[in-house]
Amino acid sequence: EADIYQTPRYLVIGTGKKITLECSQTMGHDKMYWYQQDPGMELHLIHYSYGVNSTEKGDLSSESTVSRIRTEHFPLTLESARPSHTSQYLCASSDTQQGSESPLHFGNGTRLTVT
Amino acid sequence: RKEVEQDPGPFNVPEGATVAFNCTYSNSASQSFFWYRQDCRKEPKLLMSVYSSGNEDGRFTAQLNRASQYISLLIRDSKLSDSATYLCAVNSGYSTLTFGKGTMLLVSP
């Protein structure tokens, strides 16, 4: 099982605050991802990275930003949190595999509430 | 047409029943297919990969039908603990996985 960690698990924060959600993996996976999921709804890809210094926007427009300075670390930052950002944020990683996509391994998520 | 579509359910079945879900995908060039299980308010966990030749793991069987562009998941002898949402995932043309909305399964005593 992949070792991928997210902190914090739960975060309640006021509108306008800057927040960073942390995600680290110890598997040496090249690819990392951030998904957003509202309760009972589908996963939406918001950012992904193929490796160090690579970041791409996903399918869902997001006001967040990401960075990938180290292979194992893929933090997500919201410069100014708003109530519409209230959601669960799931980080994932996968190995590089030629010709096909490897399965994703997910962290246990950060549940963000913006008041 | 959405890239990946699933019947949201819920599928209500008694313990011991056999249940099957399908997942259709629109990109005929897709190469990788997976089934995930997600419990309420938890992260998705990989259940099994779906190979061209099919894949079986205990009570779970996954199949791929390229001609009709769908994958299926069969659960035999359902347990109460199988109650969860089952997500299918298919790779898109941009080398990322696209997830379906999931099918909810409720197994009752």
Side-chain angles (χ1 to χ4, degrees), chain A residues 66-91:
Chain A
V66 291
S67 62
R68 190 88 184 275
I69 298 171
R70 305 196 316 265
T71 298
E72 62 272 20
H73 195 214
F74 192 41
L76 181 143
T77 298
L78 276 166
E79 291 292 333
S80 180
R82 294 210 303 269
S84 59
H85 295 139
T86 295
S87 190
Q88 174 162 252
Y89 293 84
L90 289 158
C91 181

PDB file of all heavy atoms in Angstrom, chain A residues 66-91:
ATOM      1  N   VAL A  66      -0.369  25.169  -6.860  1.00  0.00           N
ATOM      2  CA  VAL A  66       0.445  24.073  -6.345  1.00  0.00           C
ATOM      3  C   VAL A  66       1.898  24.311  -6.708  1.00  0.00           C
ATOM      4  O   VAL A  66       2.217  25.139  -7.568  1.00  0.00           O
ATOM      5  CB  VAL A  66       0.002  22.707  -6.914  1.00  0.00           C
ATOM      6  CG1 VAL A  66      -1.359  22.295  -6.380  1.00  0.00           C
ATOM      7  CG2 VAL A  66       0.007  22.736  -8.447  1.00  0.00           C
ATOM      8  N   SER A  67       2.766  23.579  -6.051  1.00  0.00           N
ATOM      9  CA  SER A  67       4.181  23.607  -6.391  1.00  0.00           C
ATOM     10  C   SER A  67       4.740  22.201  -6.238  1.00  0.00           C
ATOM     11  O   SER A  67       4.207  21.380  -5.488  1.00  0.00           O
ATOM     12  CB  SER A  67       4.933  24.587  -5.484  1.00  0.00           C
ATOM     13  OG  SER A  67       4.850  24.173  -4.129  1.00  0.00           O
ATOM     14  N   ARG A  68       5.830  21.936  -6.951  1.00  0.00           N
ATOM     15  CA  ARG A  68       6.462  20.607  -6.868  1.00  0.00           C
ATOM     16  C   ARG A  68       7.970  20.832  -6.917  1.00  0.00           C
ATOM     17  O   ARG A  68       8.615  20.707  -7.958  1.00  0.00           O
ATOM     18  CB  ARG A  68       6.003  19.736  -8.046  1.00  0.00           C
ATOM     19  CG  ARG A  68       6.434  18.285  -7.893  1.00  0.00           C
ATOM     20  CD  ARG A  68       5.449  17.462  -7.132  1.00  0.00           C
ATOM     21  NE  ARG A  68       5.904  16.120  -6.906  1.00  0.00           N
ATOM     22  CZ  ARG A  68       5.753  15.111  -7.786  1.00  0.00           C
ATOM     23  NH1 ARG A  68       5.180  15.339  -8.955  1.00  0.00           N
ATOM     24  NH2 ARG A  68       6.168  13.905  -7.476  1.00  0.00           N
ATOM     25  N   ILE A  69       8.502  21.175  -5.772  1.00  0.00           N
ATOM     26  CA  ILE A  69       9.935  21.444  -5.665  1.00  0.00           C
ATOM     27  C   ILE A  69      10.702  20.168  -5.349  1.00  0.00           C
ATOM     28  O   ILE A  69      11.860  19.998  -5.740  1.00  0.00           O
ATOM     29  CB  ILE A  69      10.195  22.518  -4.591  1.00  0.00           C
ATOM     30  CG1 ILE A  69       9.512  23.824  -5.002  1.00  0.00           C
ATOM     31  CG2 ILE A  69      11.673  22.756  -4.393  1.00  0.00           C
ATOM     32  CD1 ILE A  69       9.518  24.884  -3.929  1.00  0.00           C
ATOM     33  N   ARG A  70      10.022  19.265  -4.656  1.00  0.00           N
ATOM     34  CA  ARG A  70      10.623  17.968  -4.339  1.00  0.00           C
ATOM     35  C   ARG A  70       9.681  16.870  -4.814  1.00  0.00           C
ATOM     36  O   ARG A  70       8.458  17.039  -4.811  1.00  0.00           O
ATOM     37  CB  ARG A  70      10.865  17.834  -2.840  1.00  0.00           C
ATOM     38  CG  ARG A  70      11.697  18.933  -2.232  1.00  0.00           C
ATOM     39  CD  ARG A  70      12.223  18.543  -0.859  1.00  0.00           C
ATOM     40  NE  ARG A  70      11.254  17.906   0.009  1.00  0.00           N
ATOM     41  CZ  ARG A  70      10.526  18.551   0.918  1.00  0.00           C
ATOM     42  NH1 ARG A  70      10.630  19.842   1.033  1.00  0.00           N
ATOM     43  NH2 ARG A  70       9.698  17.890   1.694  1.00  0.00           N
ATOM     44  N   THR A  71      10.223  15.747  -5.162  1.00  0.00           N
ATOM     45  CA  THR A  71       9.419  14.627  -5.657  1.00  0.00           C
ATOM     46  C   THR A  71       8.333  14.231  -4.676  1.00  0.00           C
ATOM     47  O   THR A  71       7.193  13.948  -5.064  1.00  0.00           O
ATOM     48  CB  THR A  71      10.314  13.393  -5.935  1.00  0.00           C
ATOM     49  OG1 THR A  71      11.259  13.722  -6.934  1.00  0.00           O
ATOM     50  CG2 THR A  71       9.477  12.205  -6.391  1.00  0.00           C
ATOM     51  N   GLU A  72       8.671  14.230  -3.400  1.00  0.00           N
ATOM     52  CA  GLU A  72       7.759  13.666  -2.415  1.00  0.00           C
ATOM     53  C   GLU A  72       6.713  14.645  -1.909  1.00  0.00           C
ATOM     54  O   GLU A  72       5.819  14.258  -1.171  1.00  0.00           O
ATOM     55  CB  GLU A  72       8.554  13.118  -1.227  1.00  0.00           C
ATOM     56  CG  GLU A  72       9.360  14.150  -0.456  1.00  0.00           C
ATOM     57  CD  GLU A  72      10.767  14.346  -1.026  1.00  0.00           C
ATOM     58  OE1 GLU A  72      10.986  13.992  -2.200  1.00  0.00           O
ATOM     59  OE2 GLU A  72      11.623  14.862  -0.281  1.00  0.00           O
ATOM     60  N   HIS A  73       6.778  15.901  -2.299  1.00  0.00           N
ATOM     61  CA  HIS A  73       5.963  16.935  -1.669  1.00  0.00           C
ATOM     62  C   HIS A  73       5.175  17.713  -2.716  1.00  0.00           C
ATOM     63  O   HIS A  73       5.762  18.202  -3.698  1.00  0.00           O
ATOM     64  CB  HIS A  73       6.893  17.862  -0.882  1.00  0.00           C
ATOM     65  CG  HIS A  73       6.195  18.751   0.080  1.00  0.00           C
ATOM     66  ND1 HIS A  73       6.652  20.025   0.357  1.00  0.00           N
ATOM     67  CD2 HIS A  73       5.098  18.563   0.849  1.00  0.00           C
ATOM     68  CE1 HIS A  73       5.840  20.584   1.236  1.00  0.00           C
ATOM     69  NE2 HIS A  73       4.897  19.716   1.554  1.00  0.00           N
ATOM     70  N   PHE A  74       3.864  17.855  -2.492  1.00  0.00           N
ATOM     71  CA  PHE A  74       3.010  18.522  -3.478  1.00  0.00           C
ATOM     72  C   PHE A  74       1.957  19.352  -2.738  1.00  0.00           C
ATOM     73  O   PHE A  74       0.774  19.003  -2.696  1.00  0.00           O
ATOM     74  CB  PHE A  74       2.351  17.457  -4.369  1.00  0.00           C
ATOM     75  CG  PHE A  74       1.659  17.977  -5.597  1.00  0.00           C
ATOM     76  CD1 PHE A  74       2.202  18.994  -6.374  1.00  0.00           C
ATOM     77  CD2 PHE A  74       0.456  17.410  -6.017  1.00  0.00           C
ATOM     78  CE1 PHE A  74       1.563  19.436  -7.525  1.00  0.00           C
ATOM     79  CE2 PHE A  74      -0.192  17.846  -7.169  1.00  0.00           C
ATOM     80  CZ  PHE A  74       0.364  18.862  -7.923  1.00  0.00           C
ATOM     81  N   PRO A  75       2.342  20.476  -2.175  1.00  0.00           N
ATOM     82  CA  PRO A  75       1.396  21.281  -1.402  1.00  0.00           C
ATOM     83  C   PRO A  75       0.433  22.083  -2.282  1.00  0.00           C
ATOM     84  O   PRO A  75       0.792  22.492  -3.392  1.00  0.00           O
ATOM     85  CB  PRO A  75       2.303  22.219  -0.602  1.00  0.00           C
ATOM     86  CG  PRO A  75       3.539  22.342  -1.437  1.00  0.00           C
ATOM     87  CD  PRO A  75       3.700  21.010  -2.138  1.00  0.00           C
ATOM     88  N   LEU A  76      -0.750  22.309  -1.764  1.00  0.00           N
ATOM     89  CA  LEU A  76      -1.770  23.098  -2.444  1.00  0.00           C
ATOM     90  C   LEU A  76      -2.061  24.325  -1.592  1.00  0.00           C
ATOM     91  O   LEU A  76      -2.257  24.207  -0.381  1.00  0.00           O
ATOM     92  CB  LEU A  76      -3.040  22.255  -2.624  1.00  0.00           C
ATOM     93  CG  LEU A  76      -4.219  22.900  -3.338  1.00  0.00           C
ATOM     94  CD1 LEU A  76      -4.943  21.884  -4.208  1.00  0.00           C
ATOM     95  CD2 LEU A  76      -5.192  23.502  -2.348  1.00  0.00           C
ATOM     96  N   THR A  77      -2.081  25.486  -2.224  1.00  0.00           N
ATOM     97  CA  THR A  77      -2.263  26.747  -1.497  1.00  0.00           C
ATOM     98  C   THR A  77      -3.474  27.508  -2.006  1.00  0.00           C
ATOM     99  O   THR A  77      -3.691  27.605  -3.225  1.00  0.00           O
ATOM    100  CB  THR A  77      -1.014  27.641  -1.646  1.00  0.00           C
ATOM    101  OG1 THR A  77       0.109  26.970  -1.070  1.00  0.00           O
ATOM    102  CG2 THR A  77      -1.206  28.979  -0.935  1.00  0.00           C
ATOM    103  N   LEU A  78      -4.247  28.014  -1.051  1.00  0.00           N
ATOM    104  CA  LEU A  78      -5.339  28.946  -1.351  1.00  0.00           C
ATOM    105  C   LEU A  78      -4.935  30.295  -0.782  1.00  0.00           C
ATOM    106  O   LEU A  78      -4.751  30.411   0.440  1.00  0.00           O
ATOM    107  CB  LEU A  78      -6.651  28.475  -0.713  1.00  0.00           C
ATOM    108  CG  LEU A  78      -7.477  27.453  -1.482  1.00  0.00           C
ATOM    109  CD1 LEU A  78      -8.543  26.848  -0.577  1.00  0.00           C
ATOM    110  CD2 LEU A  78      -8.130  28.115  -2.690  1.00  0.00           C
ATOM    111  N   GLU A  79      -4.770  31.294  -1.618  1.00  0.00           N
ATOM    112  CA  GLU A  79      -4.295  32.605  -1.148  1.00  0.00           C
ATOM    113  C   GLU A  79      -5.321  33.308  -0.280  1.00  0.00           C
ATOM    114  O   GLU A  79      -4.979  33.997   0.676  1.00  0.00           O
ATOM    115  CB  GLU A  79      -3.944  33.489  -2.351  1.00  0.00           C
ATOM    116  CG  GLU A  79      -2.718  33.032  -3.123  1.00  0.00           C
ATOM    117  CD  GLU A  79      -1.429  33.196  -2.312  1.00  0.00           C
ATOM    118  OE1 GLU A  79      -1.367  34.081  -1.426  1.00  0.00           O
ATOM    119  OE2 GLU A  79      -0.487  32.411  -2.544  1.00  0.00           O
ATOM    120  N   SER A  80      -6.597  33.119  -0.624  1.00  0.00           N
ATOM    121  CA  SER A  80      -7.649  33.801   0.119  1.00  0.00           C
ATOM    122  C   SER A  80      -8.876  32.891   0.145  1.00  0.00           C
ATOM    123  O   SER A  80      -9.637  32.839  -0.821  1.00  0.00           O
ATOM    124  CB  SER A  80      -7.982  35.139  -0.555  1.00  0.00           C
ATOM    125  OG  SER A  80      -9.012  35.810   0.150  1.00  0.00           O
ATOM    126  N   ALA A  81      -9.034  32.195   1.242  1.00  0.00           N
ATOM    127  CA  ALA A  81     -10.105  31.204   1.329  1.00  0.00           C
ATOM    128  C   ALA A  81     -11.483  31.853   1.314  1.00  0.00           C
ATOM    129  O   ALA A  81     -11.682  32.939   1.885  1.00  0.00           O
ATOM    130  CB  ALA A  81      -9.927  30.371   2.596  1.00  0.00           C
ATOM    131  N   ARG A  82     -12.407  31.157   0.640  1.00  0.00           N
ATOM    132  CA  ARG A  82     -13.810  31.615   0.597  1.00  0.00           C
ATOM    133  C   ARG A  82     -14.724  30.441   0.950  1.00  0.00           C
ATOM    134  O   ARG A  82     -14.341  29.277   0.789  1.00  0.00           O
ATOM    135  CB  ARG A  82     -14.153  32.109  -0.800  1.00  0.00           C
ATOM    136  CG  ARG A  82     -13.400  33.356  -1.222  1.00  0.00           C
ATOM    137  CD  ARG A  82     -14.254  34.166  -2.198  1.00  0.00           C
ATOM    138  NE  ARG A  82     -14.644  33.395  -3.366  1.00  0.00           N
ATOM    139  CZ  ARG A  82     -13.929  33.357  -4.483  1.00  0.00           C
ATOM    140  NH1 ARG A  82     -12.796  34.031  -4.553  1.00  0.00           N
ATOM    141  NH2 ARG A  82     -14.337  32.675  -5.503  1.00  0.00           N
ATOM    142  N   PRO A  83     -15.940  30.729   1.388  1.00  0.00           N
ATOM    143  CA  PRO A  83     -16.864  29.626   1.722  1.00  0.00           C
ATOM    144  C   PRO A  83     -17.059  28.637   0.574  1.00  0.00           C
ATOM    145  O   PRO A  83     -17.265  27.442   0.816  1.00  0.00           O
ATOM    146  CB  PRO A  83     -18.160  30.358   2.055  1.00  0.00           C
ATOM    147  CG  PRO A  83     -17.700  31.665   2.617  1.00  0.00           C
ATOM    148  CD  PRO A  83     -16.495  32.038   1.798  1.00  0.00           C
ATOM    149  N   SER A  84     -16.956  29.097  -0.676  1.00  0.00           N
ATOM    150  CA  SER A  84     -17.111  28.192  -1.817  1.00  0.00           C
ATOM    151  C   SER A  84     -15.977  27.174  -1.923  1.00  0.00           C
ATOM    152  O   SER A  84     -16.078  26.201  -2.673  1.00  0.00           O
ATOM    153  CB  SER A  84     -17.190  28.989  -3.124  1.00  0.00           C
ATOM    154  OG  SER A  84     -16.013  29.763  -3.305  1.00  0.00           O
ATOM    155  N   HIS A  85     -14.905  27.386  -1.167  1.00  0.00           N
ATOM    156  CA  HIS A  85     -13.783  26.443  -1.161  1.00  0.00           C
ATOM    157  C   HIS A  85     -14.018  25.296  -0.184  1.00  0.00           C
ATOM    158  O   HIS A  85     -13.214  24.353  -0.118  1.00  0.00           O
ATOM    159  CB  HIS A  85     -12.475  27.153  -0.790  1.00  0.00           C
ATOM    160  CG  HIS A  85     -12.054  28.164  -1.808  1.00  0.00           C
ATOM    161  ND1 HIS A  85     -11.534  29.409  -1.449  1.00  0.00           N
ATOM    162  CD2 HIS A  85     -12.071  28.145  -3.160  1.00  0.00           C
ATOM    163  CE1 HIS A  85     -11.255  30.098  -2.544  1.00  0.00           C
ATOM    164  NE2 HIS A  85     -11.571  29.360  -3.593  1.00  0.00           N
ATOM    165  N   THR A  86     -15.094  25.367   0.574  1.00  0.00           N
ATOM    166  CA  THR A  86     -15.415  24.292   1.511  1.00  0.00           C
ATOM    167  C   THR A  86     -15.628  22.992   0.741  1.00  0.00           C
ATOM    168  O   THR A  86     -16.473  22.909  -0.150  1.00  0.00           O
ATOM    169  CB  THR A  86     -16.683  24.649   2.303  1.00  0.00           C
ATOM    170  OG1 THR A  86     -16.413  25.792   3.119  1.00  0.00           O
ATOM    171  CG2 THR A  86     -17.116  23.483   3.181  1.00  0.00           C
ATOM    172  N   SER A  87     -14.821  21.991   1.073  1.00  0.00           N
ATOM    173  CA  SER A  87     -14.854  20.733   0.329  1.00  0.00           C
ATOM    174  C   SER A  87     -13.863  19.762   0.958  1.00  0.00           C
ATOM    175  O   SER A  87     -13.154  20.103   1.912  1.00  0.00           O
ATOM    176  CB  SER A  87     -14.471  20.980  -1.139  1.00  0.00           C
ATOM    177  OG  SER A  87     -14.713  19.821  -1.930  1.00  0.00           O
ATOM    178  N   GLN A  88     -13.799  18.551   0.389  1.00  0.00           N
ATOM    179  CA  GLN A  88     -12.732  17.625   0.748  1.00  0.00           C
ATOM    180  C   GLN A  88     -11.689  17.658  -0.365  1.00  0.00           C
ATOM    181  O   GLN A  88     -12.041  17.586  -1.549  1.00  0.00           O
ATOM    182  CB  GLN A  88     -13.246  16.203   0.943  1.00  0.00           C
ATOM    183  CG  GLN A  88     -12.104  15.214   1.179  1.00  0.00           C
ATOM    184  CD  GLN A  88     -12.541  13.906   1.788  1.00  0.00           C
ATOM    185  OE1 GLN A  88     -12.286  13.634   2.953  1.00  0.00           O
ATOM    186  NE2 GLN A  88     -13.180  13.071   0.994  1.00  0.00           N
ATOM    187  N   TYR A  89     -10.434  17.746   0.039  1.00  0.00           N
ATOM    188  CA  TYR A  89      -9.326  17.785  -0.908  1.00  0.00           C
ATOM    189  C   TYR A  89      -8.513  16.506  -0.745  1.00  0.00           C
ATOM    190  O   TYR A  89      -8.025  16.187   0.333  1.00  0.00           O
ATOM    191  CB  TYR A  89      -8.458  19.028  -0.679  1.00  0.00           C
ATOM    192  CG  TYR A  89      -9.206  20.304  -1.027  1.00  0.00           C
ATOM    193  CD1 TYR A  89     -10.056  20.900  -0.092  1.00  0.00           C
ATOM    194  CD2 TYR A  89      -9.105  20.879  -2.285  1.00  0.00           C
ATOM    195  CE1 TYR A  89     -10.770  22.041  -0.409  1.00  0.00           C
ATOM    196  CE2 TYR A  89      -9.816  22.025  -2.613  1.00  0.00           C
ATOM    197  CZ  TYR A  89     -10.649  22.593  -1.667  1.00  0.00           C
ATOM    198  OH  TYR A  89     -11.369  23.718  -1.979  1.00  0.00           O
ATOM    199  N   LEU A  90      -8.376  15.779  -1.847  1.00  0.00           N
ATOM    200  CA  LEU A  90      -7.700  14.486  -1.833  1.00  0.00           C
ATOM    201  C   LEU A  90      -6.436  14.559  -2.685  1.00  0.00           C
ATOM    202  O   LEU A  90      -6.492  14.957  -3.848  1.00  0.00           O
ATOM    203  CB  LEU A  90      -8.623  13.397  -2.389  1.00  0.00           C
ATOM    204  CG  LEU A  90      -9.789  13.025  -1.487  1.00  0.00           C
ATOM    205  CD1 LEU A  90     -10.908  12.379  -2.292  1.00  0.00           C
ATOM    206  CD2 LEU A  90      -9.340  12.074  -0.390  1.00  0.00           C
ATOM    207  N   CYS A  91      -5.343  14.174  -2.096  1.00  0.00           N
ATOM    208  CA  CYS A  91      -4.076  14.104  -2.813  1.00  0.00           C
ATOM    209  C   CYS A  91      -3.837  12.654  -3.223  1.00  0.00           C
ATOM    210  O   CYS A  91      -4.254  11.718  -2.510  1.00  0.00           O
ATOM    211  CB  CYS A  91      -2.955  14.590  -1.898  1.00  0.00           C
ATOM    212  SG  CYS A  91      -1.323  14.596  -2.655  1.00  0.00           S
TER     213      CYS A  91
END
